[in-house]
Amino acid sequence: MVDVDEFAHGYRYGDYSGVVFYGPPTDGFWLDRLAVSNCYMRPLFHSVLDRAWRDGRPVPQLAAEWNAVAGWRNGGVCEVPTVDAAEFASALAQVASADVAEHCAGCTVEECLHCAAIVREFVGSRLARGVSLFIEDD
């Protein structure tokens, strides 16, 4: 069982923002959620961007929008197209210690990689069940 608050923001001094991933709402409530502090998401997004640019591959849409402060970063809960969710989960699976090491501040490389695995599991399990995935810049 995953502790959905293990990497959440708001529990440490000065750590007040992050990203929240959601499964579909239940009776109008966002009960299926995974909150992740920017302490972990920044290194992960940077690593995904760096790896795509270095390998000459397209940047996953979620990372591109994070980098451009566009799309889902413009506020509110946004539905993530299935292809974008799968692309992001695949990119997180390829992130290695060397990718995140230079970007970690406020967390360890091991914590960041563990967080990537948790995000991948959350996203992947929603994709496997065929339900919608949502994201929010919080």
Side-chain angles (χ1 to χ4, degrees), residues 79-91:
E79 187 168 6
V80 179
T82 301
V83 68
D84 293 348
E87 179 183 58
F88 186 62
S90 176

Side-chain angles (χ1 to χ4, degrees), residues 41-124:
M41 287 309 301
R42 278 190 190 111
L44 292 175
F45 277 125
H46 278 294
S47 297
V48 166
L49 290 167
D50 289 350
R51 187 171 269 274
W53 292 331
R54 183 181 63 237
D55 297 347
R57 291 178 308 175
V59 173
Q61 188 64 30
L62 291 181
E65 290 177 0
W66 175 82
N67 189 49
V69 190
W72 64 270
R73 297 272 323 261
N74 286 328
V77 178
C78 299
E79 187 168 6
V80 179
T82 301
V83 68
D84 293 348
E87 179 183 58
F88 186 62
S90 176
L92 285 177
Q94 296 173 26
V95 170
S97 297
D99 298 321
V100 296
E102 68 181 282
H103 301 294
C104 287
C107 69
T108 67
V109 170
E110 293 77 20
E111 289 170 330
C112 201
L113 292 175
H114 181 59
C115 180
I118 297 298
V119 172
R120 230 178 34 247
E121 179 183 331
F122 187 88
V123 171

